[in-house]
Short mmCIF file of all heavy atoms in Angstrom, two decimals:
data_model
loop_
_atom_site.label_atom_id
_atom_site.label_comp_id
_atom_site.label_asym_id
_atom_site.label_seq_id
_atom_site.Cartn_x
_atom_site.Cartn_y
_atom_site.Cartn_z
N ASN A 19 -13.31 -5.16 0.67
CA ASN A 19 -13.92 -5.36 -0.65
C ASN A 19 -13.08 -4.69 -1.72
O ASN A 19 -13.54 -3.81 -2.46
CB ASN A 19 -15.35 -4.79 -0.66
CG ASN A 19 -16.25 -5.46 0.36
OD1 ASN A 19 -16.73 -6.56 0.15
ND2 ASN A 19 -16.46 -4.78 1.48
N THR A 20 -11.83 -5.12 -1.82
CA THR A 20 -10.91 -4.49 -2.75
C THR A 20 -11.38 -4.60 -4.20
O THR A 20 -11.26 -3.65 -4.99
CB THR A 20 -9.51 -5.11 -2.62
OG1 THR A 20 -9.10 -5.06 -1.24
CG2 THR A 20 -8.50 -4.36 -3.46
N TRP A 21 -11.95 -5.75 -4.56
CA TRP A 21 -12.44 -5.94 -5.92
C TRP A 21 -13.57 -4.95 -6.23
O TRP A 21 -13.69 -4.49 -7.37
CB TRP A 21 -12.93 -7.37 -6.13
CG TRP A 21 -11.88 -8.25 -6.71
CD1 TRP A 21 -11.27 -9.31 -6.11
CD2 TRP A 21 -11.30 -8.15 -8.01
NE1 TRP A 21 -10.34 -9.88 -6.95
CE2 TRP A 21 -10.34 -9.19 -8.14
CE3 TRP A 21 -11.49 -7.29 -9.09
CZ2 TRP A 21 -9.59 -9.39 -9.29
CZ3 TRP A 21 -10.74 -7.48 -10.23
CH2 TRP A 21 -9.80 -8.51 -10.33
N VAL A 22 -14.39 -4.64 -5.23
CA VAL A 22 -15.47 -3.66 -5.44
C VAL A 22 -14.87 -2.29 -5.75
O VAL A 22 -15.33 -1.59 -6.66
CB VAL A 22 -16.38 -3.59 -4.21
CG1 VAL A 22 -17.42 -2.49 -4.38
CG2 VAL A 22 -17.06 -4.93 -3.97
N MET A 23 -13.83 -1.93 -5.01
CA MET A 23 -13.17 -0.64 -5.26
C MET A 23 -12.56 -0.59 -6.67
O MET A 23 -12.62 0.42 -7.36
CB MET A 23 -12.06 -0.41 -4.22
CG MET A 23 -12.54 -0.35 -2.78
SD MET A 23 -13.68 1.01 -2.47
CE MET A 23 -15.24 0.12 -2.40
N THR A 24 -11.99 -1.72 -7.10
CA THR A 24 -11.43 -1.78 -8.45
C THR A 24 -12.52 -1.63 -9.50
O THR A 24 -12.36 -0.91 -10.49
CB THR A 24 -10.69 -3.12 -8.65
OG1 THR A 24 -9.66 -3.25 -7.66
CG2 THR A 24 -10.07 -3.19 -10.04
N GLY A 25 -13.66 -2.29 -9.28
CA GLY A 25 -14.79 -2.18 -10.21
C GLY A 25 -15.33 -0.77 -10.29
O GLY A 25 -15.66 -0.28 -11.39
N ILE A 26 -15.40 -0.10 -9.14
CA ILE A 26 -15.88 1.29 -9.14
C ILE A 26 -14.93 2.18 -9.92
O ILE A 26 -15.35 3.05 -10.70
CB ILE A 26 -16.05 1.79 -7.69
CG1 ILE A 26 -17.20 1.05 -7.01
CG2 ILE A 26 -16.28 3.30 -7.66
CD1 ILE A 26 -17.36 1.38 -5.54
N ALA A 27 -13.62 1.98 -9.73
CA ALA A 27 -12.63 2.79 -10.44
C ALA A 27 -12.73 2.57 -11.95
O ALA A 27 -12.64 3.52 -12.73
CB ALA A 27 -11.22 2.43 -9.95
N LEU A 28 -12.96 1.33 -12.38
CA LEU A 28 -13.13 1.05 -13.80
C LEU A 28 -14.39 1.72 -14.35
O LEU A 28 -14.40 2.25 -15.47
CB LEU A 28 -13.18 -0.46 -14.04
CG LEU A 28 -11.86 -1.21 -13.84
CD1 LEU A 28 -12.10 -2.71 -13.90
CD2 LEU A 28 -10.83 -0.79 -14.88
N ALA A 29 -15.46 1.70 -13.55
CA ALA A 29 -16.71 2.35 -13.97
C ALA A 29 -16.51 3.86 -14.12
O ALA A 29 -17.06 4.49 -15.03
CB ALA A 29 -17.82 2.06 -12.97
N VAL A 30 -15.72 4.44 -13.22
CA VAL A 30 -15.42 5.88 -13.31
C VAL A 30 -14.67 6.19 -14.60
O VAL A 30 -14.96 7.19 -15.28
CB VAL A 30 -14.60 6.33 -12.08
CG1 VAL A 30 -14.07 7.76 -12.29
CG2 VAL A 30 -15.46 6.28 -10.82
N LEU A 31 -13.73 5.32 -14.97
CA LEU A 31 -12.99 5.53 -16.21
C LEU A 31 -13.93 5.53 -17.41
O LEU A 31 -13.82 6.39 -18.30
CB LEU A 31 -11.93 4.43 -16.37
CG LEU A 31 -10.73 4.48 -15.44
CD1 LEU A 31 -9.79 3.32 -15.74
CD2 LEU A 31 -10.01 5.81 -15.56
N VAL A 32 -14.83 4.58 -17.46
CA VAL A 32 -15.78 4.49 -18.57
C VAL A 32 -16.67 5.74 -18.60
O VAL A 32 -16.92 6.31 -19.67
CB VAL A 32 -16.64 3.22 -18.46
CG1 VAL A 32 -17.74 3.21 -19.52
CG2 VAL A 32 -15.78 1.97 -18.58
N ALA A 33 -17.14 6.18 -17.43
CA ALA A 33 -18.00 7.36 -17.36
C ALA A 33 -17.26 8.60 -17.87
O ALA A 33 -17.84 9.44 -18.59
CB ALA A 33 -18.48 7.58 -15.93
N ILE A 34 -15.98 8.74 -17.50
CA ILE A 34 -15.20 9.90 -17.95
C ILE A 34 -15.08 9.90 -19.47
O ILE A 34 -15.23 10.93 -20.13
CB ILE A 34 -13.81 9.89 -17.29
CG1 ILE A 34 -13.94 10.14 -15.78
CG2 ILE A 34 -12.91 10.95 -17.92
CD1 ILE A 34 -12.64 9.98 -15.03
N ILE A 35 -14.82 8.73 -20.05
CA ILE A 35 -14.67 8.62 -21.50
C ILE A 35 -15.98 8.99 -22.20
O ILE A 35 -15.98 9.70 -23.22
CB ILE A 35 -14.22 7.20 -21.88
CG1 ILE A 35 -12.80 6.95 -21.35
CG2 ILE A 35 -14.25 7.02 -23.39
CD1 ILE A 35 -12.33 5.52 -21.52
N VAL A 36 -17.10 8.52 -21.66
CA VAL A 36 -18.40 8.80 -22.27
C VAL A 36 -18.72 10.30 -22.19
O VAL A 36 -19.14 10.92 -23.18
CB VAL A 36 -19.51 7.98 -21.59
CG1 VAL A 36 -20.88 8.43 -22.07
CG2 VAL A 36 -19.32 6.49 -21.87
N VAL A 37 -18.49 10.89 -21.02
CA VAL A 37 -18.79 12.32 -20.84
C VAL A 37 -17.89 13.18 -21.71
O VAL A 37 -18.31 14.21 -22.27
CB VAL A 37 -18.64 12.70 -19.36
CG1 VAL A 37 -18.74 14.22 -19.17
CG2 VAL A 37 -19.71 12.02 -18.51
N ALA A 38 -16.63 12.75 -21.87
CA ALA A 38 -15.67 13.55 -22.63
C ALA A 38 -16.05 13.69 -24.10
O ALA A 38 -15.57 14.59 -24.78
CB ALA A 38 -14.28 12.93 -22.51
N ARG A 39 -16.92 12.84 -24.60
CA ARG A 39 -17.34 12.93 -26.01
C ARG A 39 -18.14 14.21 -26.27
O ARG A 39 -18.25 14.65 -27.41
CB ARG A 39 -18.19 11.72 -26.37
CG ARG A 39 -17.42 10.39 -26.29
CD ARG A 39 -18.32 9.21 -26.53
NE ARG A 39 -18.92 9.24 -27.86
CZ ARG A 39 -19.82 8.36 -28.28
NH1 ARG A 39 -20.22 7.38 -27.48
NH2 ARG A 39 -20.31 8.44 -29.50
N GLN A 40 -18.70 14.82 -25.22
CA GLN A 40 -19.46 16.06 -25.36
C GLN A 40 -18.63 17.29 -24.99
O GLN A 40 -19.16 18.38 -24.86
CB GLN A 40 -20.70 16.01 -24.47
CG GLN A 40 -21.57 14.78 -24.67
CD GLN A 40 -22.69 14.72 -23.64
OE1 GLN A 40 -23.04 15.72 -23.03
NE2 GLN A 40 -23.25 13.54 -23.45
N LEU A 41 -17.33 17.10 -24.83
CA LEU A 41 -16.48 18.14 -24.26
C LEU A 41 -16.49 19.42 -25.11
O LEU A 41 -16.31 19.38 -26.32
CB LEU A 41 -15.05 17.60 -24.15
CG LEU A 41 -14.09 18.36 -23.24
CD1 LEU A 41 -14.64 18.42 -21.82
CD2 LEU A 41 -12.73 17.66 -23.24
N GLY A 42 -16.71 20.56 -24.42
CA GLY A 42 -16.68 21.86 -25.08
C GLY A 42 -16.21 22.95 -24.15
O GLY A 42 -16.30 24.13 -24.46
N SER A 43 -15.68 22.57 -22.99
CA SER A 43 -15.24 23.53 -21.97
C SER A 43 -13.83 23.18 -21.51
O SER A 43 -13.55 22.03 -21.16
CB SER A 43 -16.21 23.51 -20.78
OG SER A 43 -15.64 24.13 -19.64
N ARG A 44 -12.94 24.18 -21.47
CA ARG A 44 -11.57 23.93 -21.01
C ARG A 44 -11.55 23.57 -19.53
O ARG A 44 -10.77 22.70 -19.12
CB ARG A 44 -10.71 25.17 -21.26
CG ARG A 44 -9.25 24.97 -20.88
CD ARG A 44 -8.40 26.19 -21.19
NE ARG A 44 -8.23 26.36 -22.63
CZ ARG A 44 -8.86 27.28 -23.35
NH1 ARG A 44 -9.70 28.13 -22.77
NH2 ARG A 44 -8.67 27.39 -24.65
N ALA A 45 -12.39 24.22 -18.73
CA ALA A 45 -12.43 23.91 -17.31
C ALA A 45 -12.87 22.46 -17.08
O ALA A 45 -12.33 21.75 -16.22
CB ALA A 45 -13.36 24.87 -16.58
N TRP A 46 -13.86 22.02 -17.86
CA TRP A 46 -14.30 20.63 -17.75
C TRP A 46 -13.20 19.68 -18.22
O TRP A 46 -13.04 18.57 -17.68
CB TRP A 46 -15.58 20.41 -18.55
CG TRP A 46 -16.83 20.65 -17.76
CD1 TRP A 46 -17.61 21.77 -17.77
CD2 TRP A 46 -17.43 19.75 -16.83
NE1 TRP A 46 -18.68 21.62 -16.90
CE2 TRP A 46 -18.59 20.39 -16.32
CE3 TRP A 46 -17.12 18.47 -16.39
CZ2 TRP A 46 -19.43 19.78 -15.39
CZ3 TRP A 46 -17.95 17.86 -15.45
CH2 TRP A 46 -19.08 18.52 -14.96
N ALA A 47 -12.44 20.08 -19.23
CA ALA A 47 -11.33 19.24 -19.70
C ALA A 47 -10.30 19.05 -18.59
O ALA A 47 -9.78 17.94 -18.39
CB ALA A 47 -10.69 19.87 -20.94
N ILE A 48 -10.02 20.11 -17.85
CA ILE A 48 -9.06 20.01 -16.74
C ILE A 48 -9.61 19.11 -15.64
O ILE A 48 -8.90 18.24 -15.11
CB ILE A 48 -8.75 21.41 -16.19
CG1 ILE A 48 -8.00 22.23 -17.25
CG2 ILE A 48 -7.93 21.32 -14.91
CD1 ILE A 48 -7.79 23.69 -16.88
N ALA A 49 -10.89 19.32 -15.28
CA ALA A 49 -11.49 18.51 -14.22
C ALA A 49 -11.50 17.03 -14.58
O ALA A 49 -11.13 16.17 -13.78
CB ALA A 49 -12.91 19.01 -13.93
N LEU A 50 -11.93 16.73 -15.82
CA LEU A 50 -11.98 15.33 -16.25
C LEU A 50 -10.58 14.74 -16.37
O LEU A 50 -10.36 13.56 -16.09
CB LEU A 50 -12.72 15.21 -17.56
CG LEU A 50 -14.22 15.56 -17.52
CD1 LEU A 50 -14.84 15.46 -18.92
CD2 LEU A 50 -14.96 14.64 -16.56
N GLY A 51 -9.61 15.56 -16.78
CA GLY A 51 -8.23 15.09 -16.86
C GLY A 51 -7.68 14.73 -15.50
O GLY A 51 -6.99 13.70 -15.34
N LEU A 52 -7.96 15.54 -14.50
CA LEU A 52 -7.52 15.24 -13.13
C LEU A 52 -8.14 13.94 -12.63
O LEU A 52 -7.46 13.08 -12.03
CB LEU A 52 -7.88 16.39 -12.19
CG LEU A 52 -7.09 17.70 -12.37
CD1 LEU A 52 -7.66 18.79 -11.47
CD2 LEU A 52 -5.61 17.48 -12.07
N LEU A 53 -9.45 13.79 -12.88
CA LEU A 53 -10.13 12.56 -12.46
C LEU A 53 -9.55 11.34 -13.17
O LEU A 53 -9.33 10.29 -12.56
CB LEU A 53 -11.62 12.67 -12.74
CG LEU A 53 -12.46 13.52 -11.80
CD1 LEU A 53 -13.92 13.56 -12.28
CD2 LEU A 53 -12.40 12.96 -10.38
N LEU A 54 -9.32 11.48 -14.47
CA LEU A 54 -8.82 10.35 -15.25
C LEU A 54 -7.42 9.93 -14.78
O LEU A 54 -7.16 8.74 -14.56
CB LEU A 54 -8.79 10.73 -16.73
CG LEU A 54 -8.35 9.63 -17.70
CD1 LEU A 54 -9.30 8.45 -17.63
CD2 LEU A 54 -8.28 10.18 -19.13
N GLY A 55 -6.52 10.90 -14.64
CA GLY A 55 -5.16 10.58 -14.20
C GLY A 55 -5.13 9.97 -12.81
O GLY A 55 -4.38 9.00 -12.55
N ALA A 56 -5.94 10.51 -11.89
CA ALA A 56 -5.98 9.99 -10.53
C ALA A 56 -6.56 8.58 -10.49
O ALA A 56 -6.05 7.70 -9.78
CB ALA A 56 -6.80 10.93 -9.64
N ALA A 57 -7.62 8.35 -11.26
CA ALA A 57 -8.24 7.03 -11.26
C ALA A 57 -7.29 5.97 -11.82
O ALA A 57 -7.17 4.86 -11.28
CB ALA A 57 -9.53 7.07 -12.08
N ILE A 58 -6.59 6.32 -12.90
CA ILE A 58 -5.63 5.37 -13.47
C ILE A 58 -4.47 5.14 -12.51
O ILE A 58 -3.95 4.02 -12.39
CB ILE A 58 -5.12 5.88 -14.83
CG1 ILE A 58 -6.27 5.94 -15.85
CG2 ILE A 58 -4.01 4.98 -15.37
CD1 ILE A 58 -5.87 6.52 -17.19
N GLY A 59 -4.08 6.20 -11.78
CA GLY A 59 -2.99 6.06 -10.81
C GLY A 59 -3.33 5.05 -9.72
O GLY A 59 -2.53 4.16 -9.40
N ASN A 60 -4.51 5.17 -9.14
CA ASN A 60 -4.90 4.23 -8.10
C ASN A 60 -5.17 2.83 -8.66
O ASN A 60 -4.91 1.82 -8.00
CB ASN A 60 -6.14 4.75 -7.36
CG ASN A 60 -5.80 5.86 -6.38
OD1 ASN A 60 -4.67 5.99 -5.92
ND2 ASN A 60 -6.79 6.69 -6.07
N LEU A 61 -5.69 2.77 -9.92
CA LEU A 61 -5.90 1.47 -10.55
C LEU A 61 -4.56 0.76 -10.79
O LEU A 61 -4.47 -0.47 -10.68
CB LEU A 61 -6.64 1.64 -11.87
CG LEU A 61 -8.17 1.49 -11.82
CD1 LEU A 61 -8.75 1.72 -13.21
CD2 LEU A 61 -8.58 0.13 -11.29
N THR A 62 -3.53 1.53 -11.12
CA THR A 62 -2.21 0.93 -11.31
C THR A 62 -1.76 0.21 -10.05
O THR A 62 -1.23 -0.91 -10.11
CB THR A 62 -1.19 2.02 -11.71
OG1 THR A 62 -1.59 2.64 -12.93
CG2 THR A 62 0.20 1.43 -11.86
#
């Protein structure tokens, strides 16, 4: 179900962007940055 995995990765990207709008913690910025870079890497 490769397309399902792609859809999940896209949903994760959207969730990260939405959560980042409330960003006020450096540790959270690092965690979300790692998730974002990794998700885009596998999506590539």
